[in-house]
Amino acid sequence: MNSLPGCCLEMARSLLKTSPNPVKTKLLHQIGLSLYNTSHGFHEEEVKKKLEQFPGGSIDLQKENNGIGILTLNNPSKMNAFSGVMMLQLLEKVIELENWTEGKGLIVRGAKNTFSSGSDLNAVKALGTPEDGMAVCMFMQNTLTRFMRLPLISVALVQGRALGGGAEVTTACDFRLMTTESEIRFVHKEMGIIPSWGGATRLVDIIGSRQALRVLSGALKLDSEKALHIGMVEDILQSSDETECLKEAQEWLQQFIKGPPEVIRALKKSVSCCKELCLEEALQSERDLLGTVWGGPANLEAVARKGKFNK
């Protein structure tokens, strides 16, 4: 079942039929494409100027030689809450990752043994009008949608607590891992709002509409066992030590990114298109992506080995 409503699918079909080939390719492959622009009343530069007024913390990116990136939410004095500057830096890091052609995987974690408590309340209080809220909503939905479409297999490493917007960030990753004492909780109802960074939409895709409604309306505390039971996370890590659990997460991710970057990236792009496009366009995208790897070095080497299923 396609996760997009009918009106969106019709819009996509219309765009694909009427757009020139370069635009079609961009729509199909989804890299660097934002949801909102000025036609939606979204003015990115104005939003950026507002967010710049709220400093604190940083988004740190480390790119390893093995093709795994480590993205760290770093604002430990506020449980890694997102300041305005951190929101801006997240977009910068996403753009950097879009252009990292050697990358295959990505781990998202928080500094100092906790994931993220969501938005910094100083920014929330200052941006108190519905217009401000919707502007930040569109900015973060743009950023996290671009993040979700990265040609990297991503995993959220949840230590400590992932609350509110922090819980929403975990849903933008392909997979989630938790330590035994960690917790994911969508606390939005307790704050008198609903998820605004795309978390509700993505949560439905991950655990289904019935479970998502229970989690959101009950503001349920999902410990590692409960999250594993409902399909929110893939595994529970043995270690709770910051260094050791990062090592565990890297080893867990490694099983999915063995192989040349061009093949792993094409696989991720193909799955991303299947999630967002209707059948016809998704199949066309799969065809186009196949053309980037068929007859390539990895394909020719594998055929030459003649050992199709040998490890």
Side-chain angles (χ1 to χ4, degrees):
M1 180 179 291
N2 204 299
S3 59
L4 286 179
C7 60
C8 294
L9 289 175
E10 288 304 318
M11 184 184 298
R13 290 192 187 101
S14 175
L15 284 168
L16 286 161
K17 288 176 181 176
T18 59
S19 300
N21 284 335
V23 178
K24 284 185 181 180
T25 301
K26 190 173 185 181
L27 281 168
L28 289 170
H29 292 178
Q30 304 294 304
I31 302 301
L33 182 66
S34 294
L35 292 172
Y36 303 109
N37 52 44
T38 53
S39 67
H40 303 97
F42 176 65
H43 302 278
E44 186 173 280
E45 293 308 312
E46 292 180 11
V47 179
K48 285 181 175 180
K49 287 179 182 178
K50 288 186 177 182
L51 293 176
E52 285 172 356
Q53 300 173 33
F54 306 99
S58 63
I59 304 292
D60 304 328
L61 176 61
Q62 181 180 346
K63 293 182 283 190
E64 305 284 349
N65 291 332
N66 61 2
I68 294 178
I70 301 170
L71 190 75
T72 304
L73 315 178
N74 191 355
N75 193 10
S77 65
K78 295 189 175 181
M79 288 182 60
N80 300 323
F82 276 83
S83 66
V85 167
M86 287 173 69
M87 294 180 190
L88 296 174
Q89 289 182 1
L90 180 62
L91 175 59
E92 292 171 3
K93 300 305 181 187
V94 168
I95 294 171
E96 183 176 346
L97 288 166
E98 287 173 345
N99 294 288
W100 185 32
T101 56
E102 298 83 15
K104 298 189 287 183
L106 181 68
I107 295 172
V108 183
R109 65 169 186 165
K112 303 298 181 184
N113 287 306
T114 197
F115 191 79
S116 173
S117 58
S119 299
D120 184 347
L121 287 180
N122 289 330
V124 171
K125 290 174 182 177
L127 300 170
T129 68
E131 291 76 17
D132 285 335
M134 290 180 66
V136 175
C137 164
M138 288 189 281
F139 181 86
M140 288 301 289
Q141 284 189 8
N142 271 352
T143 300
L144 289 175
T145 300
R146 290 177 68 167
F147 174 91
M148 182 180 68
R149 292 168 174 167
L150 286 171
L152 307 169
I153 297 177
S154 59
V155 58
L157 170 55
V158 182
Q159 295 175 271
R161 306 172 91 183
L163 305 177
E168 292 193 68
V169 170
T170 71
T171 67
C173 294
D174 301 310
F175 303 111
R176 284 147 295 281
L177 301 173
M178 295 178 74
T179 57
T180 53
E181 300 88 0
S182 59
E183 170 192 319
I184 297 174
R185 189 181 181 205
F186 294 82
V187 296
H188 305 78
K189 186 187 78 167
E190 306 297 328
M191 301 296 294
I193 57 172
I194 65 171
S196 59
W197 297 356
T201 301
R202 294 187 298 267
L203 186 65
V204 169
D205 188 53
I206 295 166
I207 61 173
S209 59
R210 290 179 64 207
Q211 285 284 16
L213 187 58
R214 284 167 52 85
V215 168
L216 295 172
S217 63
L220 300 182
K221 294 181 181 180
L222 298 177
D223 61 29
S224 56
E225 292 291 344
K226 187 178 293 183
L228 184 64
H229 177 70
I230 67 171
M232 181 73 187
V233 302
E234 275 60 45
D235 209 348
I236 301 171
L237 301 179
Q238 295 181 357
S239 177
S240 294
D241 175 76
E242 187 172 17
T243 302
E244 286 301 313
C245 72
L246 177 59
K247 184 179 177 181
E248 272 192 75
Q250 289 176 305
E251 291 173 353
W252 186 92
L253 180 57
Q254 194 66 46
Q255 65 185 308
F256 302 110
I257 63 167
K258 290 179 181 177
E262 64 271 18
V263 176
I264 304 303
R265 294 165 68 84
L267 282 169
K268 171 61 189 291
K269 288 179 184 179
S270 180
V271 171
S272 294
C273 289
C274 290
K275 288 172 64 176
E276 296 194 51
L277 301 177
C278 67
L279 178 62
E280 181 182 348
E281 282 80 32
L283 289 171
Q284 291 172 359
S285 177
E286 186 174 308
R287 174 204 63 197
D288 294 344
L289 288 166
L290 174 67
T292 68
V293 291
W294 187 284
N299 177 229
L300 294 176
E301 182 182 341
V303 172
R305 286 198 303 266
K306 299 180 181 179
K308 190 172 182 182
F309 300 108
N310 294 335
K311 290 185 179 181

